[in-house]
Amino acid sequence: MNDVRLAAMSEELLDLDAHLRAVEDPRLGGVTTFVGRVRDNDPDAQTPVVGLEYSSHPDAEATLRRIAEEAGGDASAVVAVSHRIGRLEVGDAAVVIAVASEHRAEAFEVCRAVIEAIKKDLPVWKRQVESDGTTSWKGIGG
């Protein structure tokens, strides 16, 4: 099981440096990060995307912690992960993950496992807003 030093759902801007500080450990040489940002396009959108509105289930933070603890199976890593909720503009970070392990392969493996599990299992929904005012909802796994 991974050592999760930060697992948060937040309405505040996400700080990559804070996540990196959370996983600092002189025993660990491999550090990976992932930042998922709001982009100005989507294959399903007819006009440019101007923002996303994230909402979450009350259990989302506990689910996020479990995802971070279990990611990577037998790998052993230190993890810091946060997901934004509320209104985000194009360019804002929606997800930030930092992972540290003894070796790079484990750090990459755990980081990828965390984001894939978030996309599949985290009870978060997003309302996509387009420039023409059109909106669409996307849920878990989408």
Side-chain angles (χ1 to χ4, degrees), residues 6-139:
L6 173 63
M9 303 297 296
S10 177
E11 291 186 22
E12 303 300 319
L13 292 174
L14 302 182
D15 180 355
L16 176 59
D17 288 336
H19 287 73
L20 286 168
R21 285 190 301 276
V23 301
E24 279 183 14
D25 189 315
R27 299 170 298 132
L28 307 177
V31 178
T32 61
T33 62
F34 174 82
V35 177
R37 296 193 182 278
V38 177
R39 63 181 186 265
D40 68 357
N41 64 86
D42 184 87
D44 299 328
Q46 300 300 311
T47 61
V49 174
V50 296
L52 298 175
E53 298 169 1
Y54 283 96
S55 57
S56 65
H57 187 278
D59 294 338
E61 195 163 271
T63 301
L64 186 61
R65 177 168 291 281
R66 180 188 51 77
I67 286 169
E69 288 172 345
E70 297 174 357
D74 292 336
S76 178
V78 175
V79 179
V81 57
S82 297
H83 197 299
R84 281 278 304 274
I85 52 175
R87 172 73 185 213
L88 283 71
E89 303 301 322
V90 170
D92 286 349
V95 178
V96 171
I97 305 167
V99 177
S101 64
E102 286 188 17
H103 304 286
R104 69 183 176 276
E106 293 157 331
F108 280 114
E109 177 185 347
V110 170
C111 191
R112 174 146 195 155
V114 170
I115 191 58
E116 296 301 334
I118 284 171
K119 295 297 286 183
K120 183 175 165 259
D121 298 328
L122 189 65
V124 169
W125 300 268
K126 66 181 175 184
R127 182 174 175 242
Q128 181 170 278
V129 182
E130 297 180 37
S131 62
D132 69 356
T134 302
T135 64
S136 59
W137 282 94
K138 298 182 181 243

